Amino acid sequence: MRFTIFSHVEHLKSGDEYFAYEPYVREMNIWLKYVDEVEIVAPLKLKKKPKIEISYQHSSLHFTRVALINFLSLPNAFISFLKLPLLCFKIFKAMSRADHIHIRCPGNIGLLACMVQVFFPKKPKTAKYAGNWDPNAKQPRSYKFQKWILNNTFLTRNIQVLVYGTWAGQSANIVSFFTASFSETEKKDFKKDFSVPHKFVFVGTLSEGKRPLFASRIIQELYNTGKQVELDIYGDGVLKESLAQYIASGKLARVVKLHGNRPLNEIKEAYQKSHFIILPSRSEGWPKALAEGMFYGCIPIATPVSCIPWMLDYGKRGILIGEELKSAVSIVKSHIESKEKLKSVSAAARIWSQEYTLEKFETEIKRILET
């Protein structure tokens, strides 16, 4: 089987190997165990050296470089528009060569691939929609269009679209799915003692969407009311400098610490030492950091977007907060004042998350490819 991936993820080349964002490649390497030949259709950088990126693992891998496009400004939109004919042609040719078409969404390359795949109704396809599938979510029109065309059984045929959560209006194309980070062998009864200081951890991109500053403000407010709390932030992004300035101006260096991007083994250690995993995002697909923290018994604190309310069993295995700071602080504060309740919520979170292991994920991937 020639398995062809269409992705907006920027790739790097070092020697004969191709690298990309670690969580994405770790997942794709599981898919690639069950295919004979791979073609990746994606943007490529040639100069940057891999840092936290990892390489694909396959003996027969081909790469088709396509242009990186965006429509965030008028000049970029004009240049991207000029690139579209060649880009669509490359996608069409790659789909012609493919035995199985795999589209990663949402993203600009995924958007174009969603349109081109219409001309290949008989070829088996999968699409991984990594964003929020909630039909009522506020999203860019391009995201809504990708969801519409993937859900449309007339335009999109012979496909399994993997989404997070179960939503009204799902067609026969849609398959509710999950993701995983850890193995069956890593499952343990990670009991937390919830002694002070209460340790919080944030893992994710330092961006407006993930709201690391809001997480920091919650911790600051708890600290100002006399609570012994600490927050460790793992990740990098455009808000790194702003967060550093906020910590310095608020004299929070002993309370909030920035660690940057760190290897997975260090993140695992952080989960084991922490009591809470906090992620007050504005939008999510399957928030992997929450599920990872829950695997280690961390109590998740998150906003009720995408499938998060279901993940947290509507408050039975986590803490749901809104976007208003005062209310969020009050909710978290009321929880940390009851140690016995924290222990039961932590246990519920751990038991649920440890159901979603890499072995289960791989079994489901294999089943999908054989369908």
Side-chain angles (χ1 to χ4, degrees), residues 145-165:
F145 180 73
Q146 288 171 71
K147 290 159 70 173
W148 173 78
I149 198 169
L150 289 171
N151 197 52
N152 189 301
T153 54
F154 177 75
L155 294 175
T156 303
R157 302 184 183 187
N158 203 16
I159 195 170
Q160 296 179 81
V161 183
L162 311 183
V163 308
Y164 299 131

Side-chain angles (χ1 to χ4, degrees), residues 20 72 104 109 111 128 153 208 259 287 326 332 340 346:
L72 301 177
R104 307 295 296 195
I109 304 301
L111 171 61
K128 174 72 176 288
T153 54
E208 291 290 347
H259 298 274
K326 186 176 180 181
V332 175
E340 291 307 311
S346 170

Side-chain angles (χ1 to χ4, degrees), residues 16-163:
D16 295 327
E17 294 184 301
Y18 291 92
F19 295 75
Y21 179 57
E22 181 181 0
Y24 160 74
V25 177
R26 275 196 280 118
E27 178 190 325
M28 290 315 308
N29 281 337
I30 295 174
W31 289 79
L32 302 190
K33 288 182 181 181
Y34 301 99
V35 302
D36 305 308
E37 194 175 358
V38 185
E39 181 175 2
I40 302 167
V41 181
L44 179 69
K45 286 184 176 180
L46 298 177
K47 294 182 180 179
K48 184 181 175 184
K49 292 183 179 180
K51 292 183 180 178
I52 64 165
E53 295 85 358
I54 63 171
S55 64
Y56 290 89
Q57 301 298 311
H58 201 279
S59 59
S60 180
L61 189 147
H62 313 276
F63 197 97
T64 298
R65 185 182 184 184
V66 295
L68 182 65
I69 59 172
N70 73 72
F71 298 87
L72 301 177
S73 67
L74 281 176
N76 284 344
F78 178 73
I79 294 170
S80 295
F81 184 77
L82 295 177
K83 294 176 180 178
L84 285 180
L86 179 59
L87 184 49
C88 289
F89 177 75
K90 285 187 173 183
I91 291 173
F92 183 89
K93 292 295 287 183
M95 287 189 177
S96 300
R97 296 187 292 266
D99 296 313
H100 185 109
I101 295 166
H102 182 74
I103 305 171
R104 307 295 296 195
C105 295
N108 289 327
I109 304 301
L111 171 61
L112 296 175
C114 283
M115 293 189 287
V116 176
Q117 62 81 28
V118 171
F119 298 100
F120 300 90
K122 294 183 180 181
K123 290 203 174 187
K125 312 176 192 77
T126 48
K128 174 72 176 288
Y129 194 90
N132 185 358
W133 191 262
D134 183 351
N136 298 316
K138 293 181 179 179
Q139 294 178 325
R141 289 181 181 178
S142 63
Y143 284 28
K144 290 182 178 293
F145 180 73
Q146 288 171 71
K147 290 159 70 173
W148 173 78
I149 198 169
L150 289 171
N151 197 52
N152 189 301
T153 54
F154 177 75
L155 294 175
T156 303
R157 302 184 183 187
N158 203 16
I159 195 170
Q160 296 179 81
V161 183
L162 311 183
V163 308

